[in-house]
Amino acid sequence: MEQRDVLVVLFDGVQALDVTGPVEVFHGAALGVPGAYRIRTASLDGAPVRTTSGLTLVPDLALSAAGAPDTLLVPGGEGTRVPDPRLVDWLREHAHRARRKVSVCSGALLLAEAGLLDGRRATTHWGLCATLAERFPAVRVEPEPIYVRDGDLATSAGVTAGIDLALALVEEDHGRDLALAIARHLVVFLRRPGNQNQFSAQLAAQTAQRRPLRDVQQWITENPAADLSVDALADRAGLSPRHFARAFRDEVGMTPGRYVDRVRLEAARRSLEDTVDGIEQVSRRCGYGTPEAMRRAFLRVLGASPAEYRRRFRPAGAVPQPA
């Protein structure tokens, strides 16, 4: 079996979890399949680096001595905001030698600065997607997925998404059973689909300024199975349907229908993850009415059926009830 060399780039201001999360995944794989991966960390001069949280990380070697890795992993952190030009130059000159280029969170900014994302699909932390798109218009930024694969390039959103991406890479290299064993050991779910949204309906939307609209937002979240038609919600807000729909869109940033769809999907996801209730019971409780309606919503947004989603996310040992 060929050993895959994973090289993690370190720099001052790196986010510690962007480093340690994926490293723990690859380390777990190397324990499960001895010799599967060799994991090394490298800084520009081989000197220790200070993370954003104040921890000191001691690299294994200098980047100049690293050679050509199988997988080059570039984490994020405050140090990506105004990067060291020498690091950008190194990436520009040497990153192409790696079979896979991977970034976590704002590490995508470093790859973009080096010209490695031009004409490619990519993502980063949701709070930086607009910055990435504005500074690097040649990059095809996808703000919603937790990670994006584009050929030999893989970019992910913040912190935990780096773990999801690393698990996906291990699964690609050595199969699902090994990735599942690592996920269970780390007590994380295997594995969120790459196209899963980075944030919840409540985080994705703005909070309405006016109290009646805020109350309606809260009501939707607490009662996903209720009548959430525009007419019913407008009546609850004390507004005409037309006025309510316009005001909700202006203040929340999306239509009432889209907000309801997101809340129901999130409620269903959590029920599938946290309970053993049957698919039919979950679909009714979350406002879909029928399992088929919920299935269509899951396939459209997550690319997986409710049954497949539950299989990926159900904690080990939990047995769901029949649908």
Side-chain angles (χ1 to χ4, degrees), residues 72 74 100-112 116-117 120-125 129 132 139-142 145-158 161-162 164-166 169 194 198:
L72 178 68
V74 181
R100 294 187 297 212
K101 277 73 69 178
V102 178
S103 70
V104 181
C105 197
S106 60
L109 295 175
L110 290 176
L111 295 183
L116 299 171
L117 300 187
R120 310 292 292 274
R121 296 167 47 244
T123 194
T124 185
H125 187 282
C129 283
L132 180 62
V139 181
R140 294 156 55 192
V141 179
E142 298 188 6
I146 59 173
Y147 61 82
V148 171
R149 303 288 301 275
D150 186 345
D152 63 351
L153 181 72
T155 53
S156 65
D164 290 299
L165 178 52
L169 297 177
Q198 287 193 34

Coordinates of all heavy atoms in Angstrom, one line a residue, residues 72 74 100-112 116-117 120-125 129 132 139-142 145-158 161-162 164-166 169 194 198:
L72 N -1.9 18.6 0.2 CA -1.4 19.8 0.8 C -2.6 20.5 1.5 O -3.6 20.8 0.8 CB -0.8 20.7 -0.3 CG -0.4 22.1 0.2 CD1 0.8 22.0 1.1 CD2 -0.1 23.0 -0.9
V74 N -4.1 23.6 3.7 CA -3.8 25.0 4.1 C -5.0 25.4 5.0 O -6.1 25.6 4.6 CB -3.8 25.9 2.8 CG1 -3.5 27.4 3.3 CG2 -2.7 25.4 1.8
R100 N -3.5 16.6 -4.3 CA -4.7 17.3 -3.8 C -4.3 18.6 -3.1 O -3.4 18.6 -2.2 CB -5.5 16.4 -2.9 CG -6.1 15.2 -3.5 CD -7.0 14.4 -2.6 NE -6.4 13.9 -1.4 CZ -6.8 12.8 -0.8 NH1 -7.8 12.1 -1.2 NH2 -6.2 12.4 0.3
K101 N -5.1 19.6 -3.3 CA -4.9 20.9 -2.6 C -6.2 21.1 -1.8 O -7.3 21.1 -2.3 CB -4.7 22.1 -3.5 CG -3.3 22.3 -4.0 CD -2.8 21.3 -5.0 CE -3.5 21.5 -6.4 NZ -3.0 20.5 -7.4
V102 N -6.0 21.3 -0.5 CA -7.1 21.4 0.4 C -7.0 22.6 1.3 O -5.9 22.9 1.8 CB -7.2 20.1 1.4 CG1 -8.3 20.2 2.3 CG2 -7.3 18.8 0.5
S103 N -8.1 23.3 1.5 CA -8.1 24.5 2.4 C -9.2 24.3 3.4 O -10.3 23.7 3.1 CB -8.2 25.8 1.6 OG -9.5 26.0 1.1
V104 N -9.0 24.9 4.6 CA -10.0 24.9 5.6 C -10.3 26.4 5.9 O -9.3 27.2 6.1 CB -9.6 24.2 6.9 CG1 -10.6 24.2 8.0 CG2 -9.2 22.7 6.6
C105 N -11.6 26.8 6.0 CA -12.0 28.1 6.4 C -11.3 29.2 5.5 O -11.2 29.0 4.3 CB -11.7 28.3 7.9 SG -12.6 29.7 8.6
S106 N -10.6 30.2 6.1 CA -10.0 31.2 5.3 C -8.7 30.8 4.7 O -8.1 31.7 4.0 CB -9.8 32.5 6.2 OG -8.9 32.1 7.3
G107 N -8.3 29.6 4.8 CA -7.2 29.1 4.0 C -7.4 29.3 2.5 O -6.5 29.4 1.7
A108 N -8.7 29.3 2.1 CA -9.1 29.6 0.7 C -8.5 30.9 0.2 O -8.2 31.1 -1.0 CB -10.6 29.5 0.5
L109 N -8.4 31.9 1.1 CA -7.9 33.2 0.7 C -6.4 33.1 0.3 O -6.0 33.8 -0.6 CB -8.0 34.2 1.9 CG -9.5 34.6 2.3 CD1 -9.4 35.5 3.5 CD2 -10.2 35.3 1.2
L110 N -5.7 32.2 1.0 CA -4.3 32.0 0.7 C -4.2 31.3 -0.7 O -3.3 31.7 -1.5 CB -3.6 31.2 1.7 CG -3.3 31.8 3.1 CD1 -2.7 30.8 4.0 CD2 -2.4 33.0 2.9
L111 N -5.0 30.3 -0.9 CA -5.0 29.7 -2.2 C -5.4 30.7 -3.4 O -4.8 30.7 -4.4 CB -5.9 28.5 -2.2 CG -5.6 27.3 -1.3 CD1 -6.6 26.2 -1.5 CD2 -4.2 26.8 -1.6
A112 N -6.3 31.5 -3.1 CA -6.8 32.5 -4.1 C -5.7 33.5 -4.3 O -5.4 33.9 -5.5 CB -8.1 33.2 -3.6
L116 N -4.4 30.0 -7.2 CA -4.8 28.6 -7.4 C -6.3 28.3 -7.5 O -6.7 27.2 -7.8 CB -4.2 27.8 -6.2 CG -2.7 27.9 -6.0 CD1 -2.3 27.3 -4.7 CD2 -2.0 27.1 -7.2
L117 N -7.1 29.3 -7.3 CA -8.5 29.2 -7.3 C -9.1 29.8 -8.6 O -10.3 29.7 -8.8 CB -9.2 29.8 -6.1 CG -8.8 29.2 -4.7 CD1 -9.7 29.7 -3.6 CD2 -8.9 27.6 -4.8
R120 N -12.0 28.3 -10.7 CA -12.4 27.1 -10.0 C -13.6 27.4 -9.0 O -13.8 28.5 -8.6 CB -11.2 26.5 -9.2 CG -9.9 26.3 -9.9 CD -10.0 25.2 -11.0 NE -10.1 23.9 -10.4 CZ -9.1 23.2 -10.0 NH1 -7.8 23.7 -10.2 NH2 -9.2 22.0 -9.5
R121 N -14.3 26.3 -8.7 CA -15.4 26.4 -7.7 C -14.8 26.3 -6.3 O -13.9 25.5 -6.1 CB -16.4 25.3 -7.9 CG -17.2 25.4 -9.2 CD -17.9 24.2 -9.5 NE -18.7 23.7 -8.4 CZ -18.5 22.5 -7.7 NH1 -17.5 21.7 -8.1 NH2 -19.3 22.2 -6.7
A122 N -15.2 27.1 -5.4 CA -14.6 27.1 -4.0 C -15.6 27.7 -3.0 O -16.5 28.4 -3.3 CB -13.3 27.9 -4.0
T123 N -15.3 27.4 -1.7 CA -16.0 28.0 -0.6 C -15.1 28.3 0.5 O -13.9 28.0 0.4 CB -17.2 27.0 -0.1 OG1 -18.1 27.8 0.7 CG2 -16.6 25.9 0.6
T124 N -15.6 29.0 1.5 CA -14.9 29.3 2.7 C -15.9 29.6 3.8 O -17.1 29.4 3.6 CB -13.9 30.6 2.4 OG1 -13.2 30.8 3.6 CG2 -14.7 31.8 2.1
H125 N -15.5 30.1 4.9 CA -16.4 30.4 6.0 C -17.4 31.4 5.5 O -17.1 32.3 4.7 CB -15.6 31.1 7.2 CG -16.5 31.3 8.4 ND1 -17.3 32.4 8.5 CD2 -16.5 30.6 9.6 CE1 -17.9 32.3 9.7 NE2 -17.4 31.3 10.3
C129 N -17.2 34.7 2.5 CA -17.5 34.4 1.1 C -17.6 35.6 0.2 O -17.1 35.7 -0.9 CB -18.8 33.6 1.0 SG -18.6 31.8 1.4
L132 N -14.1 36.9 -0.4 CA -13.4 36.0 -1.4 C -13.9 36.4 -2.8 O -13.0 36.5 -3.7 CB -13.6 34.6 -1.1 CG -13.0 33.5 -2.0 CD1 -11.5 33.7 -2.0 CD2 -13.4 32.1 -1.6
V139 N -12.7 33.6 -9.1 CA -13.1 32.5 -8.3 C -14.6 32.3 -8.3 O -15.3 33.3 -8.1 CB -12.6 32.6 -6.8 CG1 -13.0 31.3 -6.1 CG2 -11.1 32.8 -6.8
R140 N -15.1 31.1 -8.6 CA -16.5 30.9 -8.6 C -16.9 30.5 -7.2 O -16.9 29.3 -6.8 CB -16.8 29.8 -9.6 CG -16.6 30.2 -11.0 CD -16.3 29.0 -11.9 NE -17.4 28.0 -11.9 CZ -17.3 26.8 -12.4 NH1 -16.2 26.4 -13.0 NH2 -18.3 26.0 -12.4
V141 N -17.2 31.5 -6.4 CA -17.5 31.2 -4.9 C -18.9 30.7 -4.7 O -19.9 31.2 -5.2 CB -17.4 32.6 -4.1 CG1 -17.7 32.3 -2.7 CG2 -16.0 33.1 -4.3
E142 N -19.0 29.6 -4.0 CA -20.3 29.0 -3.6 C -20.4 29.1 -2.1 O -19.8 28.4 -1.3 CB -20.3 27.5 -4.0 CG -20.2 27.3 -5.5 CD -20.4 25.9 -6.0 OE1 -20.7 25.0 -5.1 OE2 -20.2 25.6 -7.2
P145 N -22.4 25.6 0.6 CA -21.9 24.3 1.0 C -20.9 24.3 2.1 O -20.1 25.3 2.2 CB -21.3 23.7 -0.3 CG -21.9 24.5 -1.4 CD -22.1 25.9 -0.8
I146 N -20.8 23.2 2.9 CA -19.7 23.1 3.9 C -18.4 22.8 3.3 O -17.4 23.1 3.9 CB -20.1 22.2 5.0 CG1 -20.3 20.7 4.5 CG2 -21.3 22.6 5.8 CD1 -20.5 19.7 5.5
Y147 N -18.4 22.1 2.1 CA -17.2 22.0 1.4 C -17.5 21.8 -0.1 O -18.6 21.4 -0.5 CB -16.3 20.9 1.9 CG -16.8 19.5 1.9 CD1 -16.8 18.7 0.7 CD2 -17.3 18.9 3.0 CE1 -17.3 17.4 0.7 CE2 -17.8 17.6 3.0 CZ -17.8 16.9 1.8 OH -18.3 15.6 1.8
V148 N -16.5 22.1 -0.9 CA -16.7 22.0 -2.4 C -15.5 21.3 -3.0 O -14.3 21.6 -2.7 CB -16.8 23.5 -3.0 CG1 -16.7 23.4 -4.5 CG2 -18.0 24.2 -2.6
R149 N -15.8 20.3 -3.8 CA -14.7 19.6 -4.5 C -14.7 20.0 -6.0 O -15.8 20.0 -6.6 CB -14.9 18.1 -4.4 CG -15.0 17.5 -3.0 CD -13.7 17.4 -2.3 NE -12.7 16.6 -3.1 CZ -12.6 15.3 -3.0 NH1 -13.4 14.6 -2.2 NH2 -11.7 14.6 -3.6
D150 N -13.6 20.4 -6.5 CA -13.4 20.7 -7.9 C -12.1 20.1 -8.4 O -11.1 20.7 -8.3 CB -13.4 22.2 -8.1 CG -13.4 22.7 -9.5 OD1 -13.2 21.8 -10.4 OD2 -13.7 23.9 -9.8
G151 N -12.2 18.9 -8.9 CA -11.0 18.2 -9.4 C -10.1 17.9 -8.3 O -10.4 17.3 -7.2
D152 N -8.8 18.4 -8.4 CA -7.8 18.2 -7.4 C -7.8 19.2 -6.3 O -7.0 19.3 -5.4 CB -6.4 18.1 -8.0 CG -6.0 19.5 -8.7 OD1 -6.9 20.4 -8.8 OD2 -4.9 19.6 -9.1
L153 N -8.9 20.0 -6.3 CA -9.0 21.1 -5.3 C -10.2 20.9 -4.4 O -11.3 20.5 -4.9 CB -9.1 22.4 -6.1 CG -9.3 23.7 -5.2 CD1 -7.9 24.0 -4.6 CD2 -9.8 24.9 -6.1
A154 N -10.0 21.1 -3.1 CA -11.1 20.9 -2.2 C -11.0 22.1 -1.1 O -10.0 22.3 -0.5 CB -11.0 19.6 -1.4
T155 N -12.1 22.8 -1.0 CA -12.1 23.9 -0.1 C -13.3 23.7 0.9 O -14.3 23.1 0.5 CB -12.3 25.3 -0.8 OG1 -13.4 25.2 -1.7 CG2 -11.1 25.6 -1.6
S156 N -13.1 24.1 2.1 CA -14.2 23.9 3.1 C -14.5 25.2 3.9 O -13.7 26.1 3.9 CB -13.8 22.8 4.1 OG -12.7 23.1 4.8
A157 N -15.6 25.1 4.6 CA -16.0 26.2 5.5 C -15.3 26.2 6.8 O -14.2 25.6 6.8 CB -17.5 26.2 5.7
G158 N -15.8 26.8 7.8 CA -15.0 26.9 9.0 C -14.9 25.7 9.9 O -15.8 24.9 10.0
A161 N -16.1 22.0 9.4 CA -16.2 21.5 8.0 C -14.9 20.9 7.6 O -14.9 20.1 6.7 CB -16.6 22.7 7.2
G162 N -13.8 21.4 8.1 CA -12.5 20.8 7.8 C -12.4 19.3 8.2 O -11.8 18.5 7.5
D164 N -15.2 17.4 8.4 CA -16.0 16.7 7.4 C -15.3 16.4 6.1 O -15.4 15.3 5.5 CB -17.3 17.6 7.1 CG -18.2 17.7 8.2 OD1 -18.8 16.6 8.6 OD2 -18.4 18.8 8.7
L165 N -14.5 17.4 5.6 CA -13.8 17.2 4.4 C -12.7 16.2 4.5 O -12.5 15.3 3.7 CB -13.2 18.6 3.9 CG -12.3 18.5 2.7 CD1 -13.1 17.9 1.5 CD2 -11.9 20.0 2.3
A166 N -12.0 16.2 5.7 CA -10.9 15.2 5.9 C -11.5 13.8 5.9 O -11.0 12.8 5.4 CB -10.2 15.5 7.2
L169 N -12.2 12.7 2.5 CA -10.9 12.3 1.8 C -10.5 10.9 2.2 O -10.0 10.1 1.4 CB -9.8 13.3 2.0 CG -10.1 14.7 1.5 CD1 -9.0 15.7 1.9 CD2 -10.3 14.7 0.0
G194 N -21.4 17.4 1.4 CA -20.7 18.6 1.1 C -21.6 19.7 0.8 O -21.3 20.9 1.0
Q198 N -24.2 25.8 5.3 CA -23.2 26.1 6.4 C -23.9 26.5 7.7 O -23.4 26.4 8.8 CB -22.3 27.2 6.0 CG -21.2 26.8 5.0 CD -20.2 27.9 4.8 OE1 -19.8 28.6 5.8 NE2 -19.7 28.1 3.6

